Amino acid sequence: MKLNVNIKYNTAFGEDVVVNILQEDGKVLQYRLKTLDGHEWTAELDLTPKTKDLNYYYTIQRNEQVVRTEWKTILHRVELDTLGDVKSMHLYDRWNDMPEDSYLYSSAFTECINPRQLSRPENRGYKKTVRLIVRAPQLREDDVLYIAGADEVLGSWQIDKGIAMTQHNYNEWIVDLDGAYFAGHHMEFKFAACNQKKGKTSAIWEIAANRYIDVPKMTAGQVEVYDMDMAFFDIWNRKLAGTLVPVFSLRSKTSFGVGDFGDLKKMIDFVALTHQRVLQVLPINDTTTTHTWTDSYPYSCISIFALHPQYADFTALPALKDEKKRAHYEALRQALNALKQIDYEKVNDTKIAYLKDLFAQEGKQVLASAAFKKFFEEDKRWLVPYAYYCVLRDENGTADFSQWKDHNLWDEKDRKALEDPKSAIYNKVAFWYYVQYILNTQMADAHDYARKKGVILKGDIPIGVNRYGCDVWMEPNYFNLNGQAGAPPDDFSVNGQNWGFPTYNWDAMIADGCQWWIRRFQNMQKFFDAYRIDHVLGFFRIWEIPINAVHGLLGQFAPALGMTADEIRGYGLNFQEERFTEPFITDWVLDRIFHDRADEVRKQYLDRIDDERYQMKPEYDTQKKIEKLFAGVTDQKELDFRDGLYSLISDVLFVRDRKDKNKFHPRISAQFDFIYESLYDNDKGAFNRLYNDYFYRRNNQFWYNEAMKKLPKLVAATRMLVCAEDLGMVPDCVPWVMNELKILSLELQSMPKDPHVRFGHLSRNPYRSVCTISSHDMPTLRQWWDEDWDRTQEYYNTMLYRGGAAPHPLPGWLAKDIIARHLTCPSMLCILSIQDWLAMDESLRLPDANAERINIPANPHHYWRYRVHLNIEDLIKNKHFVEEISELIQMAGR
């Protein structure tokens, strides 16, 4: 087949356009195009495709290096087997960048909101064929694209005589026309969208001038393929409403003391019933390291692939045949399900015991099934190490693999025996294979159920992993274990947050194309159609805290451009390395912090350096050493004393760069510490100038480049809708990247991104965003309302436009007003927590607003045990509440 490729692209000097044709075996054939003017590129190829479809994309190369690639979510495609005996083909293509409306190509829209069956075009049997290809992403689920034009064959501009097109790819439509009629002809036409249910009288014509093509003369077996500019219609953007609730927080009449994947399906029913289209959950990965309540933290996963056993829905599994055991577990289920909060340890111990009993009964049959074998073959890369890790963790009594007597790191040589059902070790790990098979099957079923209900399931990707988890044990080269990930100080935590996770070795990850992350995202798409990137700022730079620190104040952004001593002096600050990088401890500081216990600190914890300053004794010179010293202490006065010692250690003006000891970073929030107070006014001014430049200007382009090494690969890895949590200390480069990659931002009225206002204006929310009132890390609407009465009063007067005193506690009618305002904002998604939805109804919500809190970020040892106090079945039956939510959503046009 003679293939003539044509595309217009304005290249820079030294750049070439290359067409990349995909083969069935995964290989890519590359052909360099030619040009006379650097604008119109062409190639004539003698090609005998071994596939029924011609799939390809274009790249721009300079010196054999790819400098730019088309948006590959939707490839160029020509179905060759529908065109008969093709002797020659001319392709007239257009370069496809990621479109502004790329969200419409996500599975959230194509599988949940606008589901349509993709079809292959019929073989019309034309000897000469003109094929038109056009994208029309705005069409709704019942719309079909038509072509009509001036020619009688095209209906003479009468849409009822126009030609229906075929959607052969996501949002991409094609039509084949008889080349015998159009060869050498001047075509004039337009596209129109027709609703199948309403008929062709409902046609909406595209907003554009008439389209024209001068079709060349054609010979038998010739095909002309025209890739057209997008068809744009006067159809408004979709806005959707949804609910945020952790799976563990769900409660139903059949729950086992914690929400499970069966409850998730019931929650999908409630969401669909109330005309919502999104259900967002927190991470569902396994977090088991200690088998205690401290494992309840859902963002500390031990595997980015394995799901948490607590989410197994026993009602979807065969019943235990042993009547005594069945009665025993049913009694436990009822007792655990009646608790107001989750008893994490009791629930998980009981569910694991139940699963072991069920495995003894059903395991052999399940592991021999075709469905299990298919699952195992697809997921064995992560499943086998995970199962062995679980066995070793429990046999050694700790998840800290450095303390195991052997197998301190995963050895790929062990895989063969672990995969062999005839080996002795297989019997140890088979239970965990079975558990993950059940969980994966049930979660995939919930995902399919959500799609059928038109509901987008939105997952959550934690920024970190547990330092003693399977991921680190299996692939330690991807992690820096000498640091801890966290967040700098903010309104929620004045000392910053220390999550304890290892930071990533991005050099190693980028070297192999971020395969670890790509596998992670591609696994997640089995269960979700949208996801939230937790702490997206971590892909620009992470707040890295020294391994010997407890608080986040001694951290630094990694990577970041550290400052030399001369650079610091260039700001006018008299930089003294030892004085500014060591703890500032003087008598007046000790008296201010410890008062009548200052002498005790001098004698027990300090050594004198000179007439003015002290230093911590070696046995107390890190926060971790102090933490260990006060382990087990519960008296608040002693804990306050401990915190005073912590503050002595973190009282520095600069921290050394983690890679280069001759470079420095200003210590975050140093202006609130004693060392800053000790400076002369001119030095304070110089430090402030340096501080502002460093944190808000110096690293912007550097961090942009860092993010663009990672995020484009991850966004392109799946068709899930990408959302991000972009709150906190946000550098200017973050919106640059998010806009470029079309990632949805997170918008909270109480945390505006505009530093000049106290509350955000909802009407200014960008369309490509998620609007919410509170997240799992924040106080609920009701809590926030009573936290700061002066702030609430200002909000009441200036944002709600109401006079007089703001009522306390928050009445239901006012919560409804606040929710209604959020729903009418321009954001694509408005997702509210289940607690905030319930705030509207004073007969349903909890009397104690504080009992609704999911997490307190300032407390690193928080127990994640919140459960909705109402059964989902009862919520579904509550006609008034269902209608109240539905009415608000419909009135807001969501």
Side-chain angles (χ1 to χ4, degrees):
M1 180 182 78
K2 298 292 184 181
L3 183 64
N4 185 280
V5 182
N6 301 271
I7 188 170
K8 294 180 179 180
Y9 188 97
N10 290 324
T11 55
F13 182 76
E15 292 180 343
D16 291 317
V17 179
V18 175
V19 62
N20 304 264
I21 300 176
L22 278 61
Q23 302 296 289
E24 269 187 350
D25 59 6
K27 294 181 180 178
V28 179
L29 300 179
Q30 293 190 339
Y31 299 95
R32 197 170 299 275
L33 279 61
K34 298 178 180 179
T35 184
L36 294 176
D37 59 5
H39 173 61
E40 294 186 0
W41 293 80
T42 186
E44 292 184 3
L45 312 175
D46 192 352
L47 192 68
T48 304
K50 297 179 181 179
T51 60
K52 62 180 181 179
D53 293 340
L54 181 65
N55 290 296
Y56 61 99
Y57 63 93
Y58 293 94
T59 54
I60 307 300
Q61 295 187 10
R62 178 190 291 273
N63 298 326
E64 307 300 325
Q65 296 294 316
V66 175
V67 295
R68 196 174 179 203
T69 301
E70 274 193 298
W71 186 56
K72 291 164 60 178
T73 297
I74 309 296
L75 297 174
H76 297 274
R77 180 195 295 172
V78 179
E79 292 84 352
L80 297 174
D81 63 340
T82 66
L83 293 168
D85 183 19
V86 181
K87 295 179 180 178
S88 66
M89 179 183 297
H90 289 74
L91 302 176
Y92 301 96
D93 286 328
R94 42 187 292 280
W95 178 276
N96 291 318
D97 278 320
M98 178 185 282
E100 287 296 317
D101 56 7
S102 60
Y103 57 89
L104 291 172
Y105 296 82
S106 69
S107 62
F109 279 84
T110 63
E111 309 301 328
C112 304
I113 305 303
N114 293 327
R116 281 200 209 87
Q117 193 70 36
L118 301 182
S119 304
R120 295 183 69 79
E122 295 181 19
N123 189 335
R124 300 289 182 180
Y126 300 141
K127 292 183 178 180
K128 307 172 184 177
T129 303
V130 175
R131 172 168 287 186
L132 305 184
I133 303 175
V134 67
R135 293 180 182 177
Q138 294 171 288
L139 271 57
R140 305 296 168 89
E141 56 267 35
D142 294 320
D143 291 341
V144 173
L145 194 66
Y146 276 73
I147 182 174
D151 292 287
E152 186 177 353
V153 175
L154 297 178
S156 301
W157 294 116
Q158 297 179 56
I159 194 61
D160 58 329
K161 295 181 181 179
I163 301 173
M165 302 179 69
T166 301
Q167 186 181 211
H168 77 139
N169 207 344
Y170 297 111
N171 296 323
E172 189 169 88
W173 299 75
I174 66 173
V175 63
D176 288 340
L177 303 174
D178 190 351
Y181 179 90
F182 287 103
H185 190 74
H186 178 75
M187 287 178 59
E188 183 179 3
F189 60 95
K190 291 186 79 167
F191 298 110
C194 297
N195 187 285
Q196 289 176 296
K197 293 181 178 179
K198 296 178 182 178
K200 293 181 181 178
T201 56
S202 65
I204 302 175
W205 291 89
E206 63 174 323
I207 300 174
N210 293 351
R211 296 176 183 256
Y212 301 93
I213 294 178
D214 289 317
V215 182
K217 292 181 180 180
M218 302 169 66
T219 58
Q222 184 173 335
V223 178
E224 301 287 302
V225 181
Y226 295 90
D227 187 1
M228 315 292 294
D229 288 337
M230 187 188 94
F232 185 80
F233 297 91
D234 189 12
I235 298 176
W236 64 91
N237 290 329
R238 296 293 285 263
K239 296 198 302 178
L240 312 172
T243 293
L244 162 65
V245 59
V247 175
F248 62 75
S249 296
L250 296 173
R251 181 191 296 268
S252 75
K253 293 180 179 179
T254 60
S255 300
F256 212 117
V258 67
D260 58 43
F261 292 148
D263 296 334
L264 184 60
K265 292 173 73 172
K266 294 174 184 176
M267 190 64 195
I268 290 166
D269 285 335
F270 175 75
V271 167
L273 183 65
T274 52
H275 294 92
Q276 299 180 69
R277 304 303 296 270
V278 188
L279 177 55
Q280 179 177 336
V281 299
L282 299 193
I284 55 176
N285 299 90
D286 192 358
T287 58
T288 310
T289 55
T290 67
H291 296 288
T292 68
W293 67 266
T294 58
D295 298 340
S296 66
Y297 182 26
Y299 287 86
S300 183
C301 65
I302 61 169
S303 170
I304 57 174
F305 302 106
L307 304 179
H308 202 303
Q310 71 178 355
Y311 297 126
D313 172 20
F314 293 164
T315 67
L317 298 173
L320 289 173
K321 295 175 183 177
D322 187 317
E323 290 187 16
K324 188 175 180 181
K325 285 185 177 181
R326 197 164 64 241
H328 166 71
Y329 284 120
E330 176 57 20
L332 282 171
R333 186 197 71 78
Q334 292 184 19
L336 290 169
N337 212 31
L339 297 177
K340 292 182 179 180
Q341 294 178 306
I342 299 168
D343 184 336
Y344 184 89
E345 294 170 18
K346 188 71 172 176
V347 162
N348 279 278
D349 289 347
T350 305
K351 294 194 86 165
I352 289 294
Y354 186 103
L355 286 167
K356 286 183 176 178
D357 284 339
L358 194 61
F359 177 66
Q361 175 183 298
E362 307 283 339
K364 187 175 181 180
Q365 181 181 350
V366 170
L367 267 57
S369 68
F372 171 80
K373 290 177 180 178
K374 182 176 183 292
F375 161 73
F376 187 85
E377 190 60 31
E378 291 175 351
D379 292 272
K380 63 184 179 182
R381 187 188 187 281
W382 66 265
L383 179 63
V384 173
Y386 162 79
Y388 198 29
Y389 165 89
C390 290
V391 169
L392 294 169
R393 172 198 64 199
D394 295 345
E395 285 183 350
N396 288 281
T398 177
D400 184 353
F401 42 82
S402 67
Q403 297 182 26
W404 295 353
K405 54 188 177 184
D406 52 28
H407 296 92
N408 304 108
L409 292 175
W410 162 252
D411 188 343
E412 191 64 27
K413 294 177 184 176
D414 293 332
R415 181 180 290 277
K416 185 176 180 180
L418 292 163
E419 292 180 5
D420 183 2
K422 297 177 183 178
S423 69
I425 192 66
Y426 185 87
N427 294 325
K428 288 186 174 184
V429 295
F431 169 70
W432 296 106
Y433 296 162
Y434 169 76
V435 170
Q436 286 303 313
Y437 169 69
I438 286 173
L439 294 166
N440 275 258
T441 302
Q442 291 186 352
M443 185 59 207
D445 180 57
H447 181 214
D448 290 340
Y449 189 76
R451 284 184 167 184
K452 290 172 183 175
K453 289 282 186 175
V455 172
I456 301 168
L457 270 188
K458 181 183 177 188
D460 196 331
I461 293 188
I463 187 60
V465 299
N466 192 294
R467 75 172 47 245
Y468 302 122
C470 180
D471 298 308
V472 181
W473 178 67
M474 183 182 176
E475 299 177 288
N477 58 304
Y478 286 142
F479 304 93
N480 294 318
L481 297 175
N482 59 352
Q484 307 173 90
D490 55 25
D491 292 341
F492 304 110
S493 181
V494 294
N495 291 318
Q497 299 176 42
N498 184 351
W499 304 324
F501 307 140
T503 54
Y504 293 115
N505 179 0
W506 280 113
D507 292 339
M509 288 182 161
I510 292 170
D512 72 0
C514 294
Q515 287 302 307
W516 186 85
W517 283 96
I518 289 172
R519 291 194 299 270
R520 182 180 189 180
F521 279 59
Q522 290 178 342
N523 183 76
M524 193 176 183
Q525 73 179 340
K526 296 189 299 186
F527 310 126
F528 299 102
D529 287 303
Y531 63 90
R532 166 190 179 270
I533 302 177
D534 171 45
H535 194 66
V536 73
L537 304 184
F539 290 92
F540 295 77
R541 76 293 185 274
I542 197 72
W543 188 247
E544 186 172 67
I545 303 162
I547 196 66
N548 58 17
V550 174
H551 290 159
L553 292 174
L554 289 171
Q556 60 184 265
F557 285 125
L561 301 174
M563 309 181 77
T564 65
D566 286 341
E567 280 185 289
I568 294 171
R569 294 187 184 104
Y571 282 87
L573 179 64
N574 182 24
F575 181 68
Q576 302 169 51
E577 183 174 322
E578 182 182 343
R579 180 182 178 87
F580 287 167
T581 59
E582 298 297 328
F584 180 73
I585 307 173
T586 66
D587 286 314
W588 66 269
V589 169
L590 295 172
D591 291 337
R592 291 264 292 273
I593 296 176
F594 298 102
H595 308 293
D596 56 346
R597 297 186 68 176
D599 283 338
E600 178 186 344
V601 175
R602 292 185 186 95
K603 293 176 183 177
Q604 183 174 343
Y605 297 96
L606 302 176
D607 289 329
R608 182 174 282 280
I609 301 175
D610 52 37
D611 291 342
E612 179 190 9
R613 295 179 300 144
Y614 298 85
Q615 65 182 7
M616 303 295 294
K617 290 180 183 291
E619 58 267 38
Y620 309 120
D621 63 356
T622 71
Q623 291 183 340
K624 283 288 187 181
K625 292 177 181 178
I626 298 296
E627 182 184 48
K628 186 176 181 180
L629 182 67
F630 284 82
V633 173
T634 57
D635 180 76
Q636 189 57 50
K637 286 185 178 179
E638 289 303 304
L639 293 177
D640 291 342
F641 181 76
R642 176 204 64 185
D643 291 347
L645 295 174
Y646 283 163
S647 69
L648 286 181
I649 295 169
S650 62
D651 193 1
V652 297
L653 202 63
F654 289 88
V655 295
R656 291 184 186 273
D657 186 86
R658 66 186 182 94
K659 289 185 176 180
D660 186 345
K661 291 185 177 182
N662 294 316
K663 291 185 178 179
F664 308 89
H665 306 263
R667 206 218 73 191
I668 193 79
S669 300
Q671 291 91 335
F672 298 102
D673 249 320
F674 295 110
I675 190 168
Y676 177 83
E677 186 179 333
S678 72
L679 298 175
Y680 292 116
D681 286 347
N682 62 319
D683 283 337
K684 288 180 180 177
F687 180 78
N688 289 340
R689 289 193 300 274
L690 175 154
Y691 186 95
N692 290 332
D693 273 350
Y694 173 85
F695 283 113
Y696 298 105
R697 287 180 284 274
R698 178 184 179 86
N699 289 284
N700 262 326
Q701 191 61 47
F702 176 68
W703 286 335
Y704 167 84
N705 294 333
E706 287 297 309
M708 291 302 290
K709 294 175 185 176
K710 311 157 191 171
L711 283 173
K713 294 182 178 68
L714 311 188
V715 170
T718 72
R719 287 199 308 111
M720 291 186 288
L721 181 66
V722 190
C723 310
E725 182 270 292
D726 57 333
L727 304 177
M729 195 172 182
V730 183
D732 289 346
C733 60
V734 172
W736 305 347
V737 172
M738 291 181 61
N739 285 332
E740 192 167 337
L741 300 180
K742 315 300 184 282
I743 298 174
L744 275 64
S745 64
L746 181 61
E747 305 296 329
L748 279 91
Q749 192 174 24
S750 59
M751 291 182 65
K753 294 189 171 79
D754 181 353
H756 303 101
V757 297
R758 188 170 189 183
F759 305 108
H761 292 273
L762 294 172
S763 60
R764 297 177 187 170
N765 283 6
Y767 172 68
R768 206 161 48 225
S769 70
V770 181
C771 171
T772 191
I773 296 175
S774 63
S775 76
H776 64 274
D777 279 333
M778 300 174 182
T780 62
L781 173 60
R782 291 169 65 200
Q783 283 183 302
W784 180 86
W785 191 262
D786 287 335
E787 261 185 354
D788 184 332
W789 284 35
D790 290 336
R791 179 188 62 193
T792 300
Q793 186 64 49
E794 183 179 346
Y795 179 81
Y796 185 73
N797 298 142
T798 63
M799 293 290 107
L800 303 182
Y801 307 104
R802 296 181 180 275
H808 290 276
L810 179 69
W813 62 267
L814 191 51
K816 183 176 180 179
D817 179 40
I818 294 170
I819 287 172
R821 292 171 186 269
H822 280 75
L823 287 170
T824 55
C825 78
S827 298
M828 180 195 304
L829 306 181
C830 181
I831 302 176
L832 308 181
S833 70
I834 187 67
Q835 303 96 310
D836 289 348
W837 281 118
L838 290 168
M840 298 190 302
D841 194 320
E842 294 180 33
S843 67
L844 289 180
R845 68 191 194 184
L846 277 172
D848 180 12
N850 293 324
E852 297 177 340
R853 187 74 185 260
I854 295 175
N855 180 38
I856 302 174
N859 178 8
H861 305 294
H862 179 71
Y863 191 171
W864 295 64
R865 61 190 313 198
Y866 167 71
R867 261 191 115 191
V868 181
H869 60 290
L870 302 166
N871 292 323
I872 304 172
E873 297 93 335
D874 294 334
L875 278 177
I876 289 174
K877 290 179 182 178
N878 192 313
K879 187 177 179 181
H880 172 73
F881 188 57
V882 167
E883 289 180 350
E884 193 171 29
I885 293 177
S886 300
E887 184 180 276
L888 283 174
I889 291 170
Q890 290 175 318
M891 286 178 63
R894 291 190 178 271

